[in-house]
Amino acid sequence: MPLPLYLLAMAVFAMGTSEFMLAGLLPDIASDVDVTVATAGVLTSAFALGMILGAPLVAASARNWPRRPALLGFVLAFAAAHALGAVTTSFPVLFATRVVAALANAGFLAVALTAAASLVPADRKGRALAVLLSGTTVATIAGVPGGAVLGTALGWRSTFWAVAALCLPAALGILKGIPAGRDEDEATGRPALRAELGRLARPRLILVMLLGALVNAATFGSLTFLGPVVTDSAGLGELWISVALVLFGAGSSVGVTVAGRLSDRSPGPVIAIAGPLLLVGWLALAVLADEPAALLTLVFVQGALSFALGGTLITRVLYEAAGAPTMAGAYATAALNVGAAVGPVVSAATLGTGAGALGPLWTSGLLVAVALLIALPLRTVITAGRHTEVLR
């Protein structure tokens, strides 16, 4: 894999850390800026909404920019938003910085996903995507727990400063590692924006985006509320929440790596095997959550299966949107973040029911079951054409 891919992954690491780090910082933020915890929680929704809306809008606006200045601009805007967020005492300003950061993140991912696919041969998009997404998995393994520890020790503002600082070497790497000029496919033969948007009318693209969103909704629906499962259901101390998050992140790294090697040429078996196993895993986790050893083991397994299946489906989005070279990454980003936004909302509604802390786990199982009911009868449709039309 070319070096620029790893430089892009470094930026994805910083952005992934920011996206997930607020879960452990909300009480301190609320106290510091004089709002309720529920109000502070809107910061998470603002980021997710910015990602969903920002991916297609920012990608469309930046489609005529050369990739290096686009990527560099998004990274620097992301860093600036966090620097401002670290010094403000106004909640509306902090809210605005999260929206700006989300838009920059969405734009970066939309361009980076397309750039990553263009840096490798057409039949290695899955492996390139695995390298890029490794930034997110490393964020869940190290960035998010590390941010929680830093926030506890030095205050939530220090975490914002740390994310801003992480963007600087990533920006330097982009400046040195991404070609300065336009790629040949950027300069000539690029389809009009209307033609690229027209790809959304393809039923196969809509299908794989829907499946990717459902699987990601299941993933983040449970990951967001993993803390109460660890402390309430398993009866472990708060320190074990970080342990569980690290295990999930380690599993996701394994899943992305394995899927990256299989999703280009054998997406069908990945979907057919990982999908049912993921469903069984969520149900098993809901049943066995009061057993600490089983809980921690299954958290690792679910991280691996979730990202193996989700990564494969997002790779399929890139293949199916191959005729939309500047918008393909935006479609993939939007699908991921629709799931990341919807999953926690649906899961949160179950916390007040009789299922209690286990409600999100049952919900994740239901979401995966819906995805399987849609996918399995259409598996050949989802994976068709990967060596011909979609690679052109």
Side-chain angles (χ1 to χ4, degrees):
M1 292 288 104
L3 177 61
L5 273 179
Y6 296 94
L7 303 176
L8 296 177
M10 182 187 300
V12 172
F13 166 72
M15 294 177 178
T17 298
S18 174
E19 184 174 3
F20 308 131
M21 70 183 184
L22 289 190
L25 303 177
L26 288 181
D28 289 342
I29 292 174
S31 175
D32 198 10
V33 298
D34 196 25
V35 297
T36 66
V37 173
T39 299
V42 175
L43 296 173
T44 301
S45 300
F47 197 95
L49 184 61
M51 289 287 288
I52 295 168
L53 298 178
L57 293 178
V58 178
S61 300
R63 68 190 303 269
N64 292 320
W65 301 356
R67 284 176 182 151
R68 187 168 79 175
L71 292 169
L72 186 62
F74 288 135
V75 167
L76 293 179
F78 188 83
H82 282 76
L84 179 57
V87 299
T88 186
T89 58
S90 166
F91 181 76
V93 172
L94 183 58
F95 181 92
T97 66
R98 295 306 287 172
V99 175
V100 171
L103 292 173
N105 190 355
F108 179 87
L109 279 179
V111 177
L113 285 166
T114 306
S118 72
L119 290 171
V120 297
D123 62 349
R124 302 186 75 188
K125 288 183 181 180
R127 294 190 65 178
L129 180 62
V131 172
L132 190 66
L133 289 182
S134 69
T136 299
T137 61
V138 174
T140 60
I141 296 170
V144 175
V149 172
L150 184 62
T152 300
L154 301 177
W156 67 270
R157 297 178 187 276
S158 65
T159 305
F160 275 63
W161 280 119
V163 170
L166 282 172
C167 292
L168 299 182
L172 181 61
I174 291 168
L175 192 61
K176 297 293 185 181
I178 302 297
R182 293 177 180 270
D183 292 342
E184 183 179 348
D185 65 322
E186 289 183 295
T188 61
R190 169 185 286 172
L193 178 59
R194 179 177 297 180
E196 294 202 45
L197 295 175
R199 302 292 289 189
L200 282 173
R202 290 170 58 97
R204 211 157 60 199
L205 175 58
I206 295 173
L207 175 61
V208 291
M209 288 177 66
L210 172 61
L211 296 177
L214 284 169
V215 170
N216 217 39
T219 301
F220 286 95
S222 284
L223 182 61
T224 301
F225 301 104
L226 188 58
V229 176
V230 172
T231 56
D232 298 347
S233 300
L236 298 172
E238 291 188 0
L239 177 63
W240 286 95
I241 297 175
S242 295
V243 174
L245 290 173
V246 169
L247 286 172
F248 188 92
S252 68
S253 181
V254 172
V256 164
T257 301
V258 173
R261 297 181 178 277
L262 298 175
S263 59
D264 288 313
R265 298 191 178 278
S266 304
V270 175
I271 295 171
I273 295 172
L277 288 178
L278 184 62
L279 170 59
V280 171
W282 285 128
L283 300 181
L285 191 53
V287 172
L288 300 174
D290 59 345
E291 298 290 339
L295 169 68
L296 296 176
T297 300
L298 285 169
V299 163
F300 175 86
V301 171
Q302 291 305 94
L305 291 172
S306 294
F307 275 73
L309 182 58
T312 298
L313 290 169
I314 294 306
T315 299
R316 299 309 308 160
V317 173
L318 292 179
Y319 276 124
E320 295 298 337
T326 61
M327 296 300 292
Y331 299 153
T333 302
L336 282 171
N337 285 281
V338 165
V342 171
V345 172
V346 175
S347 293
T350 68
L351 293 174
T353 68
L358 299 179
L361 302 178
W362 292 111
T363 301
S364 292
L366 177 61
L367 289 168
V368 173
V370 171
L372 290 177
L373 289 174
I374 296 172
L376 290 183
L378 301 172
R379 183 165 60 92
T380 57
V381 175
I382 297 168
T383 59
R386 61 184 179 276
H387 297 307
T388 54
E389 177 190 356
V390 294
L391 294 181
R392 288 204 298 265

